[in-house]
Amino acid sequence: MKIKYYIYILLACYLATLLRLLIDDNLIISLVGSFFFGFIIRKRLNDLSKKILLTGFFSCFTSFTGFVFLLYEILHQGEWIKFIIFFNLIIITNLFIMICGFWISRKIT
Protein backbone atom coordinates (compact mmCIF):
# COMPACT_ATOMS: atom_id res chain seq x y z
CA MET A 1 0.00 0.00 0.00
CA LYS A 2 1.27 3.47 -0.86
CA ILE A 3 2.20 5.99 1.81
CA LYS A 4 -0.61 8.35 0.75
CA TYR A 5 -3.16 5.65 1.64
CA TYR A 6 -1.74 5.45 5.15
CA ILE A 7 -2.09 9.22 5.37
CA TYR A 8 -5.76 8.97 4.34
CA ILE A 9 -6.38 6.37 7.05
CA LEU A 10 -4.54 8.53 9.59
CA LEU A 11 -6.64 11.58 8.66
CA ALA A 12 -9.81 9.51 9.05
CA CYS A 13 -8.61 8.50 12.52
CA TYR A 14 -8.00 12.12 13.49
CA LEU A 15 -11.41 13.19 12.22
CA ALA A 16 -13.14 10.36 14.08
CA THR A 17 -11.31 11.17 17.31
CA LEU A 18 -12.27 14.84 17.04
CA LEU A 19 -15.89 13.93 16.37
CA ARG A 20 -15.86 11.55 19.34
CA LEU A 21 -14.64 14.33 21.61
CA LEU A 22 -17.36 16.68 20.38
CA ILE A 23 -20.18 14.18 20.96
CA ASP A 24 -18.90 12.90 24.34
CA ASP A 25 -21.64 10.28 24.85
CA ASN A 26 -20.51 6.65 24.76
CA LEU A 27 -23.97 5.20 24.10
CA ILE A 28 -24.75 7.44 21.13
CA ILE A 29 -21.27 6.96 19.68
CA SER A 30 -21.54 3.20 20.05
CA LEU A 31 -24.97 2.95 18.45
CA VAL A 32 -24.23 5.33 15.57
CA GLY A 33 -20.88 3.66 14.94
CA SER A 34 -22.38 0.17 14.95
CA PHE A 35 -25.14 1.19 12.55
CA PHE A 36 -22.80 2.77 10.03
CA PHE A 37 -20.26 -0.04 10.39
CA GLY A 38 -22.95 -2.51 9.31
CA PHE A 39 -24.10 -0.10 6.61
CA ILE A 40 -20.59 0.26 5.15
CA ILE A 41 -19.87 -3.50 5.27
CA ARG A 42 -22.76 -4.12 2.88
CA LYS A 43 -21.76 -1.41 0.40
CA ARG A 44 -19.70 -2.34 -2.62
CA LEU A 45 -16.74 -0.09 -1.95
CA ASN A 46 -13.19 -0.62 -3.07
CA ASP A 47 -10.70 -2.04 -0.60
CA LEU A 48 -9.08 1.32 0.15
CA SER A 49 -12.39 3.04 0.90
CA LYS A 50 -13.37 0.23 3.29
CA LYS A 51 -10.02 0.46 5.06
CA ILE A 52 -10.32 4.22 5.41
CA LEU A 53 -13.89 4.06 6.71
CA LEU A 54 -13.87 0.86 8.77
CA THR A 55 -10.29 0.66 10.03
CA GLY A 56 -9.60 4.36 10.14
CA PHE A 57 -12.77 6.26 10.91
CA PHE A 58 -15.22 3.93 12.64
CA SER A 59 -12.66 1.99 14.65
CA CYS A 60 -11.41 5.25 16.16
CA PHE A 61 -14.89 6.74 16.43
CA THR A 62 -16.43 3.88 18.40
CA SER A 63 -13.25 3.14 20.34
CA PHE A 64 -13.68 -0.02 22.34
CA THR A 65 -11.95 1.64 25.28
CA GLY A 66 -14.96 3.89 25.93
CA PHE A 67 -17.11 0.79 26.33
CA VAL A 68 -14.52 -0.92 28.54
CA PHE A 69 -14.09 2.17 30.73
CA LEU A 70 -17.84 2.36 31.35
CA LEU A 71 -17.87 -1.29 32.40
CA TYR A 72 -14.79 -0.75 34.57
CA GLU A 73 -16.52 2.07 36.46
CA ILE A 74 -19.55 -0.14 37.14
CA LEU A 75 -17.35 -3.04 38.23
CA HIS A 76 -15.20 -0.76 40.40
CA GLN A 77 -18.34 0.27 42.30
CA GLY A 78 -18.90 -3.42 43.10
CA GLU A 79 -22.16 -3.69 41.19
CA TRP A 80 -21.73 -7.15 39.66
CA ILE A 81 -25.31 -7.63 38.52
CA LYS A 82 -25.40 -4.20 36.87
CA PHE A 83 -22.07 -5.03 35.22
CA ILE A 84 -23.38 -8.30 33.77
CA ILE A 85 -26.60 -6.65 32.55
CA PHE A 86 -24.78 -3.70 30.93
CA PHE A 87 -22.14 -5.95 29.36
CA ASN A 88 -24.73 -8.17 27.69
CA LEU A 89 -27.09 -5.32 26.85
CA ILE A 90 -24.38 -3.25 25.17
CA ILE A 91 -23.09 -6.16 23.08
CA ILE A 92 -26.55 -7.36 22.04
CA THR A 93 -27.80 -3.85 21.27
CA ASN A 94 -24.74 -2.96 19.19
CA LEU A 95 -24.91 -6.23 17.29
CA PHE A 96 -28.61 -5.65 16.56
CA ILE A 97 -27.96 -2.06 15.43
CA MET A 98 -25.12 -3.24 13.18
CA ILE A 99 -27.38 -5.85 11.60
CA CYS A 100 -30.04 -3.14 11.05
CA GLY A 101 -27.44 -0.98 9.28
CA PHE A 102 -26.46 -3.94 7.11
CA TRP A 103 -30.11 -4.70 6.33
CA ILE A 104 -30.99 -1.09 5.48
CA SER A 105 -27.93 -0.80 3.27
CA ARG A 106 -28.97 -3.95 1.44
CA LYS A 107 -32.50 -2.58 0.90
CA ILE A 108 -31.20 0.72 -0.45
CA THR A 109 -28.78 -0.89 -2.90
Side-chain angles (χ1 to χ4, degrees), residues 36-91:
F36 283 111
F37 203 90
F39 192 87
I40 297 297
I41 287 173
R42 177 63 178 101
K43 290 292 182 192
R44 292 185 182 140
L45 300 175
N46 63 31
D47 192 44
L48 177 62
S49 295
K50 279 193 175 184
K51 283 183 181 177
I52 290 171
L53 290 171
L54 298 179
T55 304
F57 186 82
F58 286 109
S59 293
C60 287
F61 181 68
T62 57
S63 179
F64 187 68
T65 55
F67 164 66
V68 171
F69 183 67
L70 174 68
L71 292 176
Y72 169 77
E73 286 181 330
I74 293 170
L75 192 60
H76 187 69
Q77 295 170 358
E79 299 186 40
W80 289 91
I81 294 174
K82 186 176 179 181
F83 170 81
I84 292 169
I85 291 169
F86 269 64
F87 179 80
N88 289 306
L89 186 63
I90 290 171
I91 289 176

Side-chain angles (χ1 to χ4, degrees), residues 7 10 14 18-19 33 47 51 65 92 95:
I7 293 172
L10 184 62
Y14 285 136
L18 177 64
L19 191 57
D47 192 44
K51 283 183 181 177
T65 55
I92 291 168
L95 183 59

